[in-house]
Amino acid sequence: MLIRIPEVLTKPDVTGIRQLIDGADWRDGNATSGAQAARAKRNAQLADDSPQAREAGDRVLDALQRHPLFISAALPLKVFPPLFNRYEGGQNFGNHVDNAIRPMRGNDFRIRTDVSATLFLAEPDTYDGGELVIDDTYGSHSVKLPAGDMILYPSTSLHRVMPVTRGARVASFFWVQSMVRDDGQRTLLFELDSSIQALNATTPDHPSVVQLTGVYHNLIRRWADA
């Protein structure tokens, strides 16, 4: 399931994060790459142990916790601390699949990568190229969103970032270990939850609201690891 999460960050939030990170310590993006990705990846990445990266990551995490659409779509159990990357001058990231397990350097924190996320931090008219292209059974999907918007997609997906030929593409990226590891089950739960919310908004006293809510939570009990 690919889903756009609009306005994770407000425009002032984006401006604040960009002021924090733009002048920080950017390094070769392959510092966090696996063997497969290292052959395809050409970008810069904010040093994940820098104070700026940690503060900016905390701001992103705070925003995610307040966004009900993210919670509904990802059903997060663990979220990897957000990282930040930048593409410019023709840099790109060729076809790759994210590592199944993502450890955090310096401690024993690790997650299973069920859901991948890219949160855009540059307006699309400020750079050319840089589309995130995600392949699934229905073809290739090209994604280039306004600053503050985010795309969620299965971490099992083959994906790539097209070359940036003008300006700079700046984004935050991270992974989610979901309470429901199967993408098909997460999709069903998300669609059911969305239908319940729509029904509740129009006819909150309809008896089906209670019944469908019960079905939703019973499926969570059946499928979730928590």
Side-chain angles (χ1 to χ4, degrees), residues 10-27:
T10 66
K11 298 306 181 186
D13 289 337
V14 172
T15 299
I17 288 177
R18 289 295 303 271
Q19 290 173 343
L20 184 64
I21 68 175
D22 281 352
D25 181 17
W26 292 85
R27 302 176 180 178

Side-chain angles (χ1 to χ4, degrees), residues 18 22 85-89 91 121-130 164-171:
R18 289 295 303 271
D22 281 352
N85 59 21
R86 182 176 66 202
Y87 294 81
E88 56 189 336
Q91 291 178 322
L121 297 174
E123 296 295 352
D125 60 357
T126 63
Y127 62 99
D128 293 334
V164 173
T165 58
R166 177 186 66 89
R169 175 197 191 268
V170 182

Side-chain angles (χ1 to χ4, degrees), residues 159-181:
H159 57 285
R160 55 199 172 275
V161 176
M162 302 304 292
V164 173
T165 58
R166 177 186 66 89
R169 175 197 191 268
V170 182
S172 176
F173 65 102
F174 55 92
W175 302 270
V176 178
Q177 180 172 326
S178 177
M179 291 185 287
V180 177
R181 72 169 67 195

Side-chain angles (χ1 to χ4, degrees), residues 97-99 113-116 153-157 159 175-176 186:
V97 175
D98 292 337
N99 290 348
T113 58
D114 298 321
V115 180
S116 297
Y153 56 98
S155 298
T156 55
S157 303
H159 57 285
W175 302 270
V176 178
R186 282 198 311 275

Side-chain angles (χ1 to χ4, degrees), residues 28-33 36-45 85 87 92-94 173:
D28 186 336
N30 278 316
T32 59
S33 298
Q36 176 204 42
R39 292 192 293 270
K41 185 178 183 181
R42 300 292 181 271
N43 68 3
Q45 190 166 307
N85 59 21
Y87 294 81
N92 69 297
F93 199 161
F173 65 102

Side-chain angles (χ1 to χ4, degrees), residues 8-9 60 117-121 148-151 170-174:
V8 173
L9 299 174
V60 171
T118 296
L119 173 59
F120 289 79
L121 297 174
D149 286 13
M150 182 171 71
I151 187 75
V170 182
S172 176
F173 65 102
F174 55 92

